[in-house]
Structure formats: C-alpha cells, structure tokens
Amino acid sequence: MECLAGTTLGEFIIRQQAAYPHATGELSTLLSSLQRAARVVNREINRAGISDVLGSMDQLNVQGEEQQKLDWFANERFKEALAARGEVCGLASEEEDGFVTFSPVNKRPGKYVVLIDPLDGSSNIDVNISVGTIFSIYRRVSPIDGPVVLADFLQPGSEQVAAGYIIYGSSTMLVYSTGQGVNGFTLDPSLGSFFLSHPNMRIPQQGRIYSINEGNYVDFPPGVKRFIKECQRDCPAENRPYTSRYIGSLVADFHRNLIKGGIYLYPPGTQLPDGKLRLLYEANPLAFLMEQAGGMATNGDVRLLTLQPESLHQRTPCYLGSRQLMLLLSACLCH
Ligand code: AHM
Ligand code: MG
C-alpha cells in the first residue's frame, strides 16, 4: 500500500489535535515521544544479530520470566523518552516490579500515566520473528498536585485515552487509536519517519483465521475445544474449514488478524488459570484497538474493557477478533 499523500505521523497527530479546540497538545507530545523511542528500539532490533543485544540478562522479571537484553533496552528507552517532556507522571511496565514515578518537568506535573509492554514476544528475536511494543494511555485520577498512586494505573480499559502498538516486522509500523478509529503508519527507514499507510483500519466482520497455541489443547476449556472443532468443520458453503495461524508473538498475530480477519485466543488452563496475557499491558490496549476497528474483545465472559483491574501484573483469558468469529466462540462457550 502506498503512502497517502505522504502524511507523516507527526502531521497526522497535529491535524487530529486541531479538531479539538480545547486540546492542550500534551497527548500529541506524548505520542511523539513514543514514536521517537520506537525508532531507537527499531534500530537496535534491526541490528540485533551484529551487536551484543541478543540473549538473556540472566535475571528474571517480576513474573518469573527470563528477561532478555532487548526487553531491558526497550524498557529503558521508552522510560527515558516518556520522562523527558513532562506530560507523563508515571509508568507501569511489564518489566518493572511496581509503577515508576516521573518528576515534573519545569514544575508542571504530568496528567497522563502510561502502561507498556516494551517488547512483547522478545523470546522470538533470536530467530528473527516479528516482535512488538504495546502501549496504553490513561488520564491520572489522583489530584494533579499530589503523588501518583496505584489507582491511577488500575483503571478499566474503557478509560483509555489512547492505545497502540509498534510492530517490528518485515516493515516497522505504528498502529494507534485515540478513540476515533484506528490508523496505521509505516516507518520509512531511509527518512526515519512514520507515514500514514493504513488509514481507518477495519477488521473484516467474517474472518477465517484462528490463532491459538494448540499445544495446550488438553488444557483448554470445553467451549474452546468446541470452537476449534467448529473452525475445522468441513463446510465449503461457509468457507470452512478455517485456517490456523499462530506465530506466538502477540502483536504479529493481532496485526495479521486485524488486517485479514480472524480471532486470537489465549484461554485459561490448569497451569495458568487466568491465561498468560497481562490485562493492563496486553489485553486492554489490544481490546481498545479491536473495538475501535469494529471487532470484539472479551475474557470469554464479559468485555475486557469493563474489567476492574486489581493488580498491575494481573493476567486474564483473552479473546480478540472479527465479530462473526467472536459470536461463534461465544455460542461455543455458552453451549
Ligand atoms: P511476553 O510478554 O513474555 O513476551 O509473553 C507474551 C507472549 C505473546 O507475545 C504471545 O502471544 C504469547 O506469549 C505466546 O504464548 P505461548 O508460548 O504460551 O503460546
Ligand atoms: Mg508481553
């Protein structure tokens, strides 16, 4: 797809802001900070094989998972970029134990908090598979002149002001929404700028792709097993069987399904009773984008965006996808 009249992400953000006469420009600045950090992380990922950034830090993160060098690198770059300008008062990250408080810049306290998975799917980097950054932005709920508190981060996903992801793939894209649809921008590495390449992204209502780690099949709830059998049913009139695609890198699986139509499933199991994905850093931002693109997002029971978070690193079962596939799933779960 060609760039549409060469609109850069920066120009697009300013144009969107102009539609709101009372906007202060702080959210625009925050989004610019994210794209700046994304370019730095992208450069490092691109040269991963020739610089000493591959492999593990030989330490575990707060969830007991092995931290990769690039996880740490990406976390530091996003933290620096967001702390520098003053719009953000605090950050919660999959790579940090607790939330991080940012000092006011020019004595002006920031009114936003950011929640981030700095490098999702990082265990795939060593084998050159797409990885991503997922971000979520909320207005703080505590008084602007007081300290940032946990409640600022534990807001239902429906309160997100903006959310998005960067996919470091065969090309690098930044996809985001401020609640008026979803737009995608592709990085032109020769110019170092993101250009609008995917305006007003809409997920097809009837997709044919299902994405799930079928290695965990024995552990799936009966409804999910029924859904998989429905996807595999031979019914040419309904364009079935559907097709199975699973990269194991959430942003890449989500991005493909968003464009082609499909469903991503990470159900609960006996090993992981709440599934694997984190509500605040993964499920909620992607649910926000999915709904903004015309799809649906649930935990198998209710809309993900209505859940009241209880802790920073809490996990949730997660189903995201095209409307018709989500309705089929819902029927199978209720059966
Ligand atoms: P991470 O945040 O530690 O990278 O883990 C999340 C990743 C997702 O990218 C991916 O969808 C999922 O874990 C894959 O899990 P599994 O290997 O159980 O299928
Ligand atoms: Mg992750």
Side-chain angles (χ1 to χ4, degrees):
M1 198 180 297
E2 279 182 28
C3 291
L4 292 181
T7 304
T8 65
L9 175 55
E11 289 163 349
F12 185 87
I13 290 170
I14 289 167
R15 224 179 275 166
Q16 271 210 325
Q17 185 196 320
Y20 297 90
H22 300 298
T24 58
E26 286 159 286
L27 181 61
S28 302
T29 309
L30 199 173
L31 291 166
S32 300
S33 303
L34 285 168
Q35 71 152 313
R36 223 179 38 244
R39 287 198 300 256
V40 176
V41 172
N42 177 63
R43 190 184 59 203
E44 208 59 24
I45 289 172
N46 276 189
R47 46 198 292 276
I50 47 174
S51 61
D52 183 31
V53 291
L54 287 179
S56 147
M57 294 277 286
D58 294 325
Q59 66 186 39
L60 303 180
N61 68 13
V62 62
Q63 292 138 93
E65 297 157 341
E66 201 170 31
Q67 207 172 21
Q68 307 288 314
K69 286 183 196 165
L70 272 169
D71 283 329
W72 176 85
F73 178 85
N75 192 50
E76 294 306 302
R77 295 298 84 76
F78 280 102
K79 219 162 48 176
E80 276 164 21
L82 291 168
R85 301 246 192 113
E87 296 75 32
V88 182
C89 55
L91 168 134
S93 161
E94 202 179 290
E95 301 302 330
E96 305 272 350
D97 294 6
F99 64 83
V100 178
T101 300
F102 293 158
S103 311
V105 174
N106 298 329
K107 299 195 178 145
R108 183 173 53 94
K111 69 177 180 200
Y112 293 107
V113 294
V114 173
L115 294 92
I116 195 161
D117 182 351
L119 207 54
D120 183 76
S122 53
S123 59
N124 289 309
I125 293 180
D126 293 15
V127 290
N128 218 337
I129 283 176
S130 303
V131 290
T133 297
I134 310 172
F135 61 87
S136 177
I137 303 169
Y138 294 81
R139 246 177 233 104
R140 69 186 291 182
V141 289
S142 57
I144 188 100
D145 47 0
V148 189
V149 298
L150 187 58
D152 291 323
F153 299 92
L154 300 185
Q155 301 188 49
S158 54
E159 297 302 311
Q160 286 172 103
V161 173
Y165 60 82
I166 298 119
I167 176 166
Y168 311 98
S170 45
S171 61
T172 294
M173 283 189 68
L174 190 152
V175 174
Y176 84 103
S177 173
T178 53
Q180 285 102 37
V182 180
N183 290 283
F185 300 79
T186 301
L187 180 67
D188 181 334
S190 63
L191 299 174
S193 302
F194 284 95
F195 286 91
L196 180 61
S197 53
H198 295 61
N200 193 21
M201 298 172 83
R202 304 290 298 170
I203 185 167
Q205 295 284 294
Q206 175 64 74
R208 292 192 65 249
I209 297 173
Y210 68 102
S211 309
I212 187 166
N213 186 343
E214 281 191 69
N216 298 329
Y217 187 86
V218 288
D219 217 15
F220 291 159
V224 172
K225 290 181 176 170
R226 272 193 291 276
F227 175 75
I228 292 173
K229 287 296 158 224
E230 277 296 308
C231 292
Q232 295 170 341
R233 191 155 58 79
D234 187 24
C235 180
E238 290 177 19
N239 222 352
R240 296 193 214 189
Y242 295 150
T243 191
S244 167
R245 293 282 182 276
Y246 189 71
I247 298 171
S249 187
L250 176 59
V251 176
D253 280 309
F254 181 90
H255 185 70
R256 180 203 52 239
N257 292 357
L258 177 62
I259 291 176
K260 295 195 168 183
I263 183 170
Y264 179 93
L265 309 96
Y266 211 112
T270 41
Q271 304 290 328
L272 295 165
D274 292 317
K276 180 178 182 190
L277 300 184
R278 266 61 47 144
L279 175 62
L280 294 178
Y281 314 117
E282 297 167 323
N284 268 344
L286 295 183
F288 185 78
L289 290 168
M290 184 51 79
E291 290 197 0
Q292 284 294 317
M296 294 171 67
T298 74
N299 67 351
D301 191 16
V302 296
R303 278 175 70 213
L304 283 163
L305 296 182
T306 62
L307 295 175
Q308 173 59 53
E310 284 163 12
S311 62
L312 284 179
H313 299 291
Q314 115 183 38
R315 298 176 193 265
T316 178
C318 183
Y319 306 98
L320 309 155
S322 294
R323 191 176 161 74
Q324 295 305 327
L325 286 169
M326 288 293 291
L327 293 177
L328 175 61
L329 171 69
S330 167
C332 292
L333 292 176
C334 295
H335 187 66

